[in-house]
Amino acid sequence: MMLTLLALVIWLGAWALNHRLSRLNAPWVGTLAPIIFGVTLLLMWELLVRGLNVSGVILPPPSAIWVSFMRNLPTLWQDLVQTVFKGALSGYIIGVISAFVVALLADRFAFLRRGLLPVGGFLSALPIVGTAPIFVMWFGFGWQSKAAVVVAMVFFPLLVNIVAGLRDTTVQQRDLMTTYAASYWQVLLKLRLPAAMPFIFNGLKISTTLALIGAIVAEFFGSPTQGLGFRIDASRGRLALDVVWSAIVMSAIAGSLFYGPVALVERAVTFWHPSQRK
C-alpha cells in the first residue's frame, strides 16, 4: 500500500514539475520534460508492480528487466547485429533506393504513376504475417529473407510520399521555372525535389519503424539461431519472460537509434520548413 501511495505522490510531483517547466521558454525544456516523464513512468512501474504484488510472469519490474538485459547483453548484441544491421538496415537501404528510382520514373511518366500507386496501396495493405513466410520460403532462413520483407514494407509508403512531395509545388512556381527555360531535370533538382523534402523525410521516418518491425516479425517464421525476433519467440516458448523483455528493450533502443539520425538530418535539411521553426 505504501509503495502504491508513493507512486501516486511521484506522479503528482512530476506532473507539477512538468507543468511548471512548460511555462518556461528555455531551449533545454524540450529535452528535460521527456526525460522527467520517462523516469517517472519507470518509477511508477517499479513501485506499482511491487506494491500490488504483480507476478513477474505477467509484468516484471524494470529493475528485473535491467538485470536480465545486462546478463544477456552479449547474446542480445549478436541478435541486434543479425536483425538490425543485416536484415533491417540492408532492406531499408534497398527499399529507399528502389522507391526513389521508381518515384522519379512515375513522376516522369504519367501512365506509371496512374498504374503504380493503386497497386502500391493494395500491396501495402497485405498483412506481414502472410507475406513473411512466403519470403522465407523464397529466400531462405538467412538475413536475405528478412531484408526482402523490409523492402516490401518500406517501398510503397516511401514511394507514395515521394510522389506526393514531387507534386507539392504551385502553378506559379512551375510557370516561373518554365519562363527561365529550365529543363525537366533543372526543375526537379532546384524546385521540386527541395519542396518534396518534408514528404520524403516523413516517409523515411515512418520506414525506420516499419523496417525494424518487419525484420523482427519475419524472424518468427524462420531464422538462424540469432535475431531479436528469434530470441523473443524462443524465450516465450520457454516462459523466460525476462529475456523476452530484454529483447524488447534492445529493440526499442535500436528503433530509437535508427529513427534519431533520420530526424536530425531532416532538421538540418528542412530548416526552412514551418514544422522546424520554434
Side-chain angles (χ1 to χ4, degrees):
M1 187 63 180
M2 291 299 297
L3 293 178
T4 305
L5 292 176
L6 180 59
L8 180 60
V9 170
I10 291 175
W11 173 258
L12 292 175
W15 178 84
L17 180 58
N18 269 335
H19 181 69
R20 192 177 188 87
L21 288 174
S22 65
R23 299 183 177 182
L24 301 178
N25 197 22
W28 47 268
V29 172
T31 303
L32 184 60
I35 293 176
I36 294 174
F37 180 81
V39 172
T40 303
L41 189 63
L42 290 176
L43 286 175
M44 290 189 60
W45 181 355
E46 181 81 23
L47 294 172
L48 289 175
V49 167
R50 295 190 180 277
L52 299 176
N53 294 320
V54 178
S55 172
V57 176
I58 299 176
L59 183 64
S63 58
I65 296 173
W66 177 253
V67 170
S68 175
F69 178 83
M70 296 306 296
R71 184 174 64 248
N72 296 284
L73 187 57
T75 301
L76 292 173
W77 171 254
Q78 294 176 357
D79 294 336
L80 178 70
V81 171
Q82 176 71 26
T83 301
V84 177
F85 294 104
K86 292 184 178 180
L89 188 58
S90 59
Y92 181 80
I93 294 173
I94 296 172
V96 168
I97 295 174
S98 303
F100 264 97
V101 172
V102 176
L104 292 178
L105 292 174
D107 178 73
R108 191 71 175 89
F109 303 102
F111 74 93
L112 283 178
R113 183 173 62 252
R114 291 193 295 266
L116 275 176
L117 294 185
V119 174
F122 171 76
L123 294 178
S124 61
L126 295 177
I128 184 177
V129 293
T131 56
I134 297 175
F135 283 114
V136 170
M137 288 187 291
W138 285 355
F139 298 100
F141 293 97
W143 63 268
Q144 293 86 350
S145 59
K146 298 13 171 225
V149 172
V150 172
V151 170
M153 290 195 67
V154 308
F155 177 81
F156 289 106
L158 190 55
L159 174 65
V160 171
N161 275 277
I162 296 173
V163 172
L166 291 175
R167 298 175 64 84
D168 189 47
T169 53
T170 64
V171 176
Q172 291 81 1
Q173 290 172 329
R174 295 193 296 271
D175 287 345
L176 180 62
M177 297 298 290
T178 303
T179 303
Y180 291 151
S183 65
Y184 169 81
W185 292 106
Q186 288 175 323
V187 175
L188 177 67
L189 295 176
K190 296 183 179 181
L191 173 63
R192 303 178 68 206
L193 197 58
M197 282 301 165
F199 289 84
I200 293 173
F201 277 102
N202 184 52
L204 290 173
K205 290 188 296 185
I206 293 173
S207 297
T208 57
T209 305
L210 293 176
L212 189 59
I213 293 174
I216 291 176
V217 173
E219 289 178 345
F220 279 78
F221 298 96
S223 174
T225 57
Q226 284 182 345
L228 293 172
F230 167 81
R231 193 67 51 200
I232 293 173
D233 190 40
S235 301
R236 176 187 57 84
R238 301 196 309 268
L239 293 180
L241 297 187
D242 56 338
V243 181
V244 173
W245 279 98
S246 300
I248 293 174
V249 170
M250 181 62 82
S251 303
I253 294 173
S256 300
L257 295 178
F258 202 174
Y259 181 92
V262 178
L264 291 176
V265 174
E266 177 192 23
R267 183 175 298 180
V269 173
T270 62
F271 61 91
W272 49 269
H273 196 262
S275 63
Q276 302 299 330
R277 298 172 189 169
K278 296 181 179 180

